[in-house]
Amino acid sequence: MREIWPSVLYLAQLISTVACNAPTVPLDDIVIEKTFVPEHCDRAVKAGDFVRYHYIGMFPDGKKFDSSYDKGSTYNVFVGRRQLIEGMDKALLDMCVNERRLVKIPPQLAYGKDGYGDIIPPDSVLHFDVLLLDIWNPQDQVEVKTNYKPETCTRTVDVSDFVRYHYNGTLLDGTLFDSSHTRLRTYDTYVGIGWLIAGMDKGLLGMCVGEKRVITMPPFLGYGENGDGSDIPGQASLVFDVVLLDLHNPKDGIMVQPQVVPETCPRKSQEGDYMRYHYNGTLLDGTFFDSSYSRNSTYNTYIGKGYVIAGMDEGLLGVCIGERRRITIPPHLAYGEEGTGTSIPGSAVLVFDILVVDFHNPSDTVQINTSFRPKVCDTRSKKGDFVKYHYNASLMDGTFIDSTYRYGKTYNIVLGAGQVVLGMEMGLQDMCVGEKRTLIIPPHLAYGERGVDGEVPGSAVLAFDIELIDMEEGLPDGYMFVWKENVSPSLFAEMDKNKDAIVEATEFSDYILQQVNEGKGRLAPGFDPHRIIENMFTNQDRDGDGKITENEFKLKADELQEHDEL
């Protein structure tokens, strides 16, 4: 070498036949022994390359005259530009990174007859133990090698995108200088706007989420002549093993991908609706973070009102019941730079695969769809009528709830008596015997926020397929018994069988039942007749002494009418 750094001379034993068996005659050229050659050699030194290498310089007797190891730094130099002694310029050619050579250089290719001061005598043969650590050339650019690329790649990294990635950073000889994995967090940054070293800014462009790359860059696209001041030496080529986990742009909105859309969709969700839906939540690289299925419960919320993250609020609009869609949400519409602190990292893009189970609006009423109505339909159901019907009940996603057919008998109620949910009361009105309907009942007209434990989830919209099998006309509103004929003017006397001027409970009950049996009067259908009669007696027994006197006894109305009641 043309210039030797001052150093303390040490004796060194060189385990090499070159050093131990020096020839006795002058050499015409250098002698090279390759003591280690790596299995893979992607690149070998050529004239004009810049190299970093370690060396130990010795005389033939093994006496050391110089060493880069002692200086704690590699020797960094261009090859073939006469910056080295001629023999070393030749010795470095065709070397691979991590290759080790023992080189013997004759004096005419070293320091010749002049030697080098007090360090190297004239006409000295020099031995060098060389280990090559780095090669690059001023013409080099970033080199990208893709080890894995996903089959589908809808988007690649572009200038001004924000990315999250993991990396291992090594020098060209494989020395690790940094790793995001050891810090247990991704490296998060903008690309192409100067937030990264130039080589990484270029090397990340065009990557897909999930892609794995090895990005190799020369020092002038890395940390240059001075390195980073700690783990990366000056003039070092850098190698980054990168896997891209996330990608978005601050200008991004949500992305909606319909997956399954029902053939019929009578209504799409809108702002203010209350929705029940299932979801699987993952990061953009597929990492799972949450699922409603694992809790065996839908997520229930108002949409478009800020009850959920902004991206989900938007992504749930315009869906049909039963629809499946994928909603991809950039972090500024999700959990932002902070994440959730647990399962969702900062600046993470979120992917939700959702299934809309049902939705409704607080202003909704019962939807009635008639599938069959008899041609002759003179009498229609109304409040007070005793109706018998069959039904199949399900949730909006088709989940079975109950059916009268499984019991082999109809469901029987009095309309308006509060015996079923309000939505069913409304849906059974104005029906003909034999008519078939489908009722869609919102939860506020069914079982509300609580539902029915083990049967109907809270806030569930219900679907009923109903068929009216039979109907008995009810009594006018407010009446539990009416006369079908004119009321006898001697009504009290007829009840008082034993003529003691007192009507006992048994006398009262026997009389009313007799009138019903003879077709002269009607009790309200669908109720316990004995309970009705008992209530009628109690109403007449005004002093509560268990008997009715003639003074206590009177009709419901002051004047007799066709439908009068006691």
Side-chain angles (χ1 to χ4, degrees):
M1 289 172 283
R2 297 205 172 272
E3 186 173 338
I4 296 190
W5 301 320
S7 62
V8 179
L9 299 180
Y10 294 97
L11 294 178
Q13 294 182 345
L14 181 61
I15 306 174
S16 167
T17 57
V18 174
C20 297
N21 300 297
T24 58
V25 293
L27 297 173
D28 294 329
D29 202 352
I30 64 172
V31 175
I32 296 174
E33 179 184 354
K34 298 181 180 180
T35 58
F36 177 78
V37 178
E39 291 184 9
H40 302 287
C41 182
D42 297 327
R43 177 175 183 175
V45 177
K46 296 180 180 179
D49 285 345
F50 192 92
V51 297
R52 294 191 311 111
Y53 64 92
H54 270 304
Y55 71 89
I56 299 172
M58 296 161 288
F59 296 114
D61 62 359
K63 183 178 180 181
K64 181 170 66 173
F65 62 83
D66 197 10
S67 171
S68 62
Y69 296 100
D70 295 340
K71 300 180 179 67
S73 175
T74 55
Y75 195 78
N76 307 333
V77 69
F78 281 99
V79 177
R81 294 189 181 183
R82 302 181 65 84
Q83 295 180 2
L84 293 162
I85 58 175
E86 187 176 353
M88 187 60 78
D89 250 347
K90 295 176 67 177
L92 291 170
L93 293 175
D94 296 321
M95 280 194 79
C96 304
V97 171
N98 286 327
E99 182 177 340
R100 189 169 184 177
R101 290 182 175 182
L102 293 176
V103 183
K104 184 162 65 169
I105 304 176
Q108 69 271 20
L109 297 178
Y111 293 96
K113 295 181 179 182
D114 296 330
Y116 189 85
D118 297 334
I119 300 174
I120 299 178
D123 295 320
S124 294
V125 175
L126 304 181
H127 294 179
F128 289 92
D129 183 357
V130 180
L131 174 62
L132 186 67
L133 300 181
D134 203 342
I135 313 170
W136 58 270
N137 190 284
Q139 303 302 315
D140 287 348
Q141 295 298 319
V142 173
E143 179 185 329
V144 173
K145 179 182 178 182
T146 299
N147 291 334
Y148 171 75
K149 191 170 186 175
E151 292 183 6
T152 58
C153 180
T154 57
R155 177 176 180 177
T156 60
V157 176
D158 203 350
V159 173
S160 81
D161 283 342
F162 192 89
V163 297
R164 296 191 311 113
Y165 62 92
H166 270 305
Y167 71 89
N168 288 319
T170 64
L171 304 180
L172 207 59
D173 66 339
T175 301
L176 180 72
F177 63 79
D178 194 14
S179 174
S180 62
H181 299 281
T182 60
R183 292 194 296 275
L184 300 178
R185 60 175 298 175
T186 55
Y187 195 83
D188 308 340
T189 185
Y190 286 96
V191 176
I193 61 173
W195 285 35
L196 291 162
I197 55 176
M200 189 61 84
D201 252 348
K202 293 181 179 180
L204 291 171
L205 293 176
M207 283 193 80
C208 307
V209 171
E211 183 175 342
K212 296 180 180 180
R213 282 185 178 182
V214 176
I215 303 171
T216 305
M217 64 194 70
F220 54 85
L221 296 176
Y223 288 92
E225 295 182 5
N226 299 320
D228 70 345
S230 57
D231 299 312
I232 300 175
Q235 301 289 24
S237 301
L238 304 180
V239 181
F240 290 90
D241 193 345
V242 176
V243 55
L244 186 66
L245 301 183
D246 205 338
L247 159 67
H248 78 275
N249 193 282
K251 298 179 181 179
D252 287 347
I254 67 168
M255 182 171 66
V256 174
Q257 298 169 278
Q259 295 173 323
V260 177
V261 180
E263 292 184 4
T264 59
C265 182
R267 173 183 167 187
K268 293 186 177 183
S269 61
Q270 57 190 3
E271 184 177 315
D273 284 343
Y274 191 88
M275 182 177 290
R276 297 193 313 121
Y277 63 95
H278 271 303
Y279 71 88
N280 286 318
T282 65
L283 305 182
L284 204 57
D285 66 338
T287 301
F288 170 86
F289 65 80
D290 194 15
S291 174
S292 62
Y293 296 98
S294 63
R295 294 190 293 275
N296 197 31
S297 174
T298 55
Y299 194 84
N300 308 335
T301 184
Y302 286 97
I303 60 173
K305 290 186 169 293
Y307 284 73
V308 290
I309 56 176
M312 187 63 82
D313 245 353
E314 182 181 350
L316 292 172
L317 295 175
V319 297
C320 306
I321 290 175
E323 182 173 342
R324 294 180 184 268
R325 62 167 52 175
R326 173 169 288 184
I327 305 171
T328 303
I329 305 176
H332 51 274
L333 297 176
Y335 293 97
E337 296 181 5
E338 301 299 323
T340 62
T342 53
S343 54
I344 300 176
S347 300
V349 177
L350 306 183
V351 180
F352 291 91
D353 288 316
I354 68 162
L355 167 62
V356 179
V357 175
D358 67 34
F359 60 81
H360 71 279
N361 195 281
S363 62
D364 285 349
T365 186
V366 178
Q367 297 178 38
I368 300 175
N369 299 310
T370 299
S371 58
F372 174 76
R373 176 176 288 167
K375 292 182 179 180
V376 178
C377 182
D378 297 328
T379 303
R380 300 192 180 191
S381 57
K382 63 183 184 304
K383 185 178 179 181
D385 288 350
F386 182 58
V387 296
K388 299 179 180 181
Y389 63 97
H390 273 304
Y391 70 81
N392 288 315
S394 65
L395 303 180
M396 294 303 292
D397 64 351
T399 300
F400 174 82
I401 296 177
D402 197 11
S403 173
T404 53
Y405 296 101
R406 69 193 296 194
Y407 306 115
K409 60 181 182 179
T410 58
Y411 200 80
N412 308 329
I413 66 164
V414 176
L415 283 177
Q419 296 172 347
V420 289
V421 295
L422 182 57
M424 182 61 79
E425 291 263 24
M426 298 167 67
L428 286 167
Q429 299 279 351
D430 202 35
M431 285 189 78
C432 309
V433 172
E435 184 174 340
K436 296 179 181 180
R437 289 179 174 181
T438 296
L439 310 180
I440 306 299
I441 305 178
H444 52 273
L445 297 176
Y447 295 100
E449 294 182 6
R450 293 188 177 184
V452 178
D453 189 29
E455 296 182 45
V456 180
S459 300
V461 179
L462 304 181
F464 286 90
D465 290 321
I466 62 172
E467 178 182 4
L468 188 60
I469 303 300
D470 197 4
M471 173 174 59
E472 183 179 347
E473 185 180 6
L475 302 187
D477 192 19
Y479 288 82
M480 298 301 289
F481 173 84
V482 294
W483 296 100
K484 297 178 71 175
E485 300 179 352
N486 290 332
V487 181
S488 170
S490 305
L491 188 59
F492 183 83
E494 292 176 7
M495 287 185 183
D496 184 16
K497 292 291 185 183
N498 59 7
K499 308 303 179 186
D500 61 355
I502 295 173
V503 174
E504 304 283 349
T506 54
E507 292 176 314
F508 185 88
S509 177
D510 289 345
Y511 182 81
I512 296 298
L513 288 175
Q514 180 183 353
Q515 305 309 304
V516 171
N517 292 333
E518 293 176 357
K520 299 177 181 179
R522 284 186 66 215
L523 290 168
F527 295 99
D528 182 353
H530 298 288
R531 180 64 60 86
I532 294 176
I533 295 172
E534 181 180 332
N535 288 337
M536 292 171 63
F537 180 84
T538 301
N539 290 337
Q540 295 296 323
D541 181 16
R542 304 179 192 282
D543 60 6
D545 63 355
K547 54 191 176 184
I548 303 172
T549 63
E550 189 169 5
N551 291 333
E552 291 177 303
F553 184 82
K554 63 181 178 179
L555 298 175
K556 186 172 184 179
D558 293 332
E559 297 180 3
L560 297 178
Q561 300 177 4
E562 181 181 358
H563 296 292
D564 212 342
E565 184 185 23
L566 293 174

